[in-house]
Amino acid sequence: MKHSAQANEEVGVLRLHFTTEDLARVKINLLGPLAETTLSLWNLQRRDGKALFHGWRARTSPLVTGDGPDAARFLSSPDGGLVDLFTLVGTAESMGEGLERLVSSPQGRLRAEFAVLGASRRRAQWLSGVMAADRGAVQRLAAALHHCHRVAVAPYWGQIHHHLDGEVARRGRLMVRGGVTALLESLCPMAVWNPPVLEIPDYRPLVHPATDFHLAGRPLVLAPSVFCGPVPQLFAGQAGAVMVYPALSNPADAIGLWDLSAHARRVDAPVPPALAALLGRTRAVVLCVIADHPACTTTQLAQRAGISPASASEHATTLRSAGLTALTRERKAALHTLTHLGLALLNTNGSAPAGT
C-alpha cells in the first residue's frame, strides 16, 4: 500500500521509526524494469526536474499511445500518487518476470491495492475491470505497461541499469565500511537520519494522515530510481516496506542517459584495428555488434557476428564480466546492451559515434 506521495497540499515530514532489529534488516536493491517503467509514467506527467528530464519527456510523450496514457494516469497521476506495484511485485530482473507476477497476483491483493485510488476517480472504462482484478483487464494493463516500457525505458535501459548498479555499489560500500548508519546518513538531504528515526522532508500523505511509520519488524528495501521525483517514496506491504529514492540529480549524468547517439556508434562500421588487437578479432566483433544492435538476443548476436550461438554466448559472458556489456532478460530471451565502459572503450579505440 502506498504510504506517501505528492498527492495534496498538506506537506510535512515522514518519520520512519527503527528498532535495533529493524536496522539489521535494511538492504539496498534494484527493483527492476517494471518498477522503473511505473515511475517513468509518473515522471512523464510531472513538471519538475526539467534540467534532468525535459529532453526525455519531449521525446517520449508522443510515443506513449494506445492504452498507455490510460495506464499512466491510472497508476501514477501526479495529483493522485502512485499505485504500489513495488511491494506487490517485488524485485523482478526482467520486464517479463515483473508482468507475470503482476498478472498472477492474488485478486484480493490487487483489489486492495487499487482500492486506494477511490471509486469516484475518473478513468477509462476498461480500467474498472482492473479495479475489480478481472484477469483479462489486468492482462490488458500488463500489455499497456509492456508498450510503455518499450518506448519510455527500454531504449535507455542499458545505461539506466549501469547507472543504478553504480548507485547500489556506492551505497553498498558505505554500508560495508560504516554499517547501516553510514548508509542512512548518506541519504541526506533527501532523508535525514536522526537515530532511531529517518526523516523525509516534503512528505505529502496520500492515504495515511499520520506522518510516523513504524517498521515493526518488517524489512526495509532502499531502492534507487532514475525516474523517482525529488522526494523519496515509501510503500508498505504486509511482508516488508520499500523506500524508492532518487538516484539521478546531476544534469550531466542525465544528458548521458538520454542521448541515444552517445550510446551507439555508426551501425556496421568497421571493427577498429586497435580494438581487435586488444580484445581479439572475434570478441571485438561481438562488442561492436552489441553496440550497433542494442538489446539483441544471443541468436541475433551470433548471426550478425557470423559465429555459433555457443561462441557468441561465451564471448558475451567475457565482455559482461569485464563490465563492457550488460545483460537483461525479456521472458526467456537474453538481451545484450553496451555499458558506459564499453562505449568509452569503443570511442577510445577509434570508433566514435557518427557526427562526433
Side-chain angles (χ1 to χ4, degrees):
M1 179 175 289
K2 182 72 173 65
H3 189 87
S4 65
Q6 311 279 5
N8 57 38
E9 297 303 320
E10 182 185 354
V11 180
V13 177
L14 173 64
R15 292 179 290 271
L16 279 69
H17 295 259
F18 293 78
T19 64
T20 302
E21 291 76 15
D22 293 333
L23 289 172
R25 304 185 74 183
V26 174
K27 62 181 180 179
I28 183 167
N29 198 13
L30 302 183
L31 295 179
L34 175 57
E36 207 67 11
T37 298
T38 303
L39 288 158
S40 78
L41 296 178
W42 190 42
N43 190 303
L44 205 57
Q45 300 171 79
R46 298 167 65 96
R47 295 294 178 265
D48 56 353
K50 289 185 179 180
L52 300 174
F53 300 108
H54 175 74
W56 171 81
R57 287 170 181 158
R59 184 186 301 122
T60 303
S61 290
L63 302 178
V64 178
T65 58
D67 288 336
D70 289 340
R73 289 188 291 268
F74 176 71
L75 294 174
S76 55
S77 74
D79 62 347
L82 284 151
V83 170
D84 179 11
L85 299 186
F86 310 97
T87 60
L88 183 69
V89 172
T91 298
E93 294 186 359
S94 72
M95 192 65 180
E97 179 186 0
L99 293 176
E100 287 175 4
R101 290 187 189 177
L102 172 62
V103 170
S104 62
S105 294
Q107 289 180 300
R109 287 197 63 191
L110 288 171
R111 282 192 293 266
E113 185 51 51
F114 296 137
V116 304
L117 298 172
S120 61
R121 182 173 165 185
R122 293 183 62 184
R123 59 181 60 89
Q125 182 61 40
W126 68 274
L127 290 167
S128 297
V130 177
M131 293 281 291
D134 174 77
R135 288 299 180 197
V138 175
Q139 288 174 344
R140 183 171 174 178
L141 175 64
L145 283 168
H146 187 273
H147 159 71
C148 292
H149 170 73
R150 183 173 58 82
V151 299
V153 177
Y156 317 94
W157 182 247
Q159 49 266 36
I160 288 174
H161 193 271
H162 181 72
H163 181 85
L164 294 177
D165 270 345
E167 169 69 14
V168 170
R170 184 172 68 87
R171 303 276 185 187
R173 285 194 294 270
L174 289 172
M175 192 172 181
V176 168
R177 294 171 183 169
V180 70
T181 294
L183 172 63
L184 297 177
E185 287 177 345
S186 74
L187 297 174
C188 188
M190 58 184 164
V192 181
W193 177 236
N194 289 319
V197 178
L198 184 68
E199 298 179 347
I200 302 175
D202 299 322
Y203 158 69
R204 292 174 173 83
L206 172 61
V207 177
H208 308 283
T211 56
D212 288 271
F213 180 79
H214 295 262
L215 286 165
R218 284 176 287 196
L220 174 67
V221 174
L222 300 179
S225 166
V226 162
F227 292 107
C228 181
V231 180
Q233 304 292 308
L234 180 67
F235 303 87
Q238 294 178 345
V242 174
M243 191 182 89
V244 180
Y245 70 88
L248 181 63
S249 59
N250 187 333
D253 289 339
I255 290 172
L257 288 182
W258 312 136
D259 183 5
L260 290 175
S261 66
H263 299 276
R265 66 186 200 125
R266 181 167 57 85
V267 174
D268 296 327
V271 175
L275 187 67
L278 177 66
L279 299 178
R281 173 72 186 177
T282 302
R283 194 162 296 156
V285 168
V286 169
L287 181 66
C288 290
V289 169
I290 294 172
D292 295 344
H293 305 279
C296 62
T297 66
T298 302
T299 299
Q300 293 168 336
L301 175 59
Q303 291 172 343
R304 287 166 176 152
I307 57 179
S308 69
S311 179
S313 178
E314 178 183 351
H315 287 300
T317 299
T318 301
L319 293 170
R320 188 167 67 254
S321 298
L324 301 177
T325 64
L327 181 72
T328 57
R329 294 193 177 274
E330 188 64 50
R331 299 189 184 276
K332 294 183 179 180
L335 307 180
H336 304 275
T337 55
L338 200 65
T339 65
H340 288 297
L341 183 59
L343 172 67
L345 181 63
L346 279 171
N347 289 344
T348 300
N349 286 274
S351 184
T356 60

